[in-house]
Amino acid sequence: MVLRLEGVKKSFRNSEELVPVLQGVSFDLEAGDTLALRGESGSGKSTLLHIAGALEAADAGRVWVSGKELTQLNDGERAQLRRTDIALIFQQFNLIPSLTVAANIAFQSALSGTPDLAHINHIVSALGLEEQMQKYPEALSGGQQQRLGLCRALMLEPELLLLDEPFSAVDPITRLGLYERFESVQKQNQVSTLLVTHDLREAKRLADYLLILDKGALVQAGIPEYVLQNPATVYVERLIESQLV
Ligand code: ADP
Ligand code: MG
């Protein structure tokens, strides 16, 4: 089990009120699986990702990453786990503008300790970035920047890959290319992935399981095809419908 959540709760203070954002979320992510997380805006997806990535603490419940329970670790051990086991990519990637693509990659691999050059070369070529190595980030298209972001995350060989709508900022054709790249890397590296997406077709294509979050509660979990054909609640039905019109 790469990631396990058990009864995770989280609230945020909104002026005087305490607003519940996650209301007892439980699920497992098995090694090598891709799990997609879909819910309307504000349903708690990013908060869940931050908690799984040990960037934020849950108010209640338990979280294990690579078999280690996060609350049992001290700050140093959690930081170490984030460096060695977890890679988290948001929509925007933190590329260093004054460094070429090659130097951005070298910088990241130096940070992570012992760089495995053969592995890095493999990821670079699987993502089709060979031609871009001497360019600066500003000279890359949106799709190339997203591939570079994926490359930097994957070359760390994370146990757990957390993706927050990583394919949403590119046009559909570019996105299709990114799916193919992602799948080819997945096939060879078996990275366990939690993918936040607002696109159910993306979930169907890339994920082994689909989780649906409604106001911080998991209302359905299952194989994407099954969920899409058997929505458990009116909300899930509405989510599916909204993507077909
Ligand atoms: P999603 O990613 O599904 O759109 P989020 O997890 O970002 O949802 O946010 C869920 C709810 O929690 C929203 O109402 C948001 O305003 C609130 N929220 C998220 N982060 C914070 C924070 N750091 N402080 C206060 N409220 C927050
Ligand atoms: Mg979000």
Side-chain angles (χ1 to χ4, degrees):
M1 203 80 63
V2 172
L3 172 67
R4 162 169 280 184
L5 271 71
E6 212 177 81
V8 167
K9 293 187 182 171
K10 181 80 181 176
S11 299
F12 286 115
R13 191 163 288 287
N14 173 11
S15 56
E16 290 304 291
E17 252 185 322
L18 206 55
V19 182
V21 171
L22 295 174
Q23 315 202 53
V25 173
S26 307
F27 66 85
D28 292 339
L29 169 58
E30 306 273 356
D33 276 356
T34 295
L35 223 153
L37 183 63
R38 170 78 170 101
E40 66 184 350
S41 185
S43 58
K45 304 182 296 293
S46 295
T47 303
L48 189 60
L49 224 59
H50 292 159
I51 289 173
L55 291 171
E56 247 174 273
D59 296 338
R62 304 165 83 185
V63 180
W64 290 262
V65 174
S66 306
K68 301 185 185 87
E69 191 185 348
L70 296 184
T71 53
Q72 302 295 313
L73 305 177
N74 63 36
D75 289 348
E77 288 165 337
R78 260 195 305 278
Q80 169 77 11
L81 188 74
R82 277 199 301 271
R83 263 197 311 277
T84 56
D85 286 34
I86 303 170
L88 206 157
I89 325 187
F90 302 96
Q91 249 176 290
Q92 262 74 39
F93 306 114
N94 301 317
L95 302 175
I96 302 164
S98 59
L99 298 181
T100 61
V101 170
N104 262 287
I105 290 174
F107 178 69
Q108 181 90 61
S109 70
L111 277 186
S112 70
T114 49
D116 175 349
L117 273 180
H119 176 69
I120 292 173
N121 285 334
H122 163 73
I123 302 272
V124 165
S125 83
L127 290 171
L129 285 166
E130 302 101 320
E131 313 277 294
Q132 320 300 333
M133 299 307 276
Q134 298 316 315
K135 289 188 182 164
Y136 289 89
E138 63 174 9
L140 300 178
S141 69
Q144 287 165 344
Q145 287 191 30
Q146 294 204 301
R147 273 189 268 159
L148 181 54
L150 264 182
C151 175
R152 295 203 320 165
L154 288 168
M155 72 190 191
L156 303 177
E157 299 189 70
E159 289 287 318
L160 175 61
L161 180 61
L162 302 170
L163 303 174
D164 202 347
E165 305 198 14
F167 306 119
S168 58
V170 292
D171 65 80
I173 295 275
T174 307
R175 198 179 306 147
L176 200 58
L178 283 173
Y179 291 168
E180 284 158 6
R181 305 283 187 190
F182 181 69
E183 284 166 336
S184 90
V185 174
Q186 279 289 57
K187 208 172 284 168
Q188 294 182 42
N189 294 63
Q190 298 281 304
V191 192
S192 315
T193 306
L194 180 57
L195 167 73
V196 169
T197 178
H198 64 258
D199 186 342
L200 289 171
R201 282 164 305 182
E202 179 171 301
K204 193 170 156 191
R205 165 134 193 188
L206 299 179
D208 300 291
Y209 296 99
L210 171 60
L211 306 180
I212 309 279
L213 205 56
D214 180 7
K215 297 187 191 72
L218 274 187
V219 291
Q220 194 167 8
I223 292 163
E225 284 81 359
Y226 182 84
V227 174
L228 294 178
Q229 278 164 28
N230 304 277
T233 68
V234 173
Y235 169 82
V236 181
E237 203 176 307
R238 297 286 293 163
L239 270 185
I240 296 166
E241 251 180 42
S242 69
Q243 297 214 310
L244 297 177
V245 292

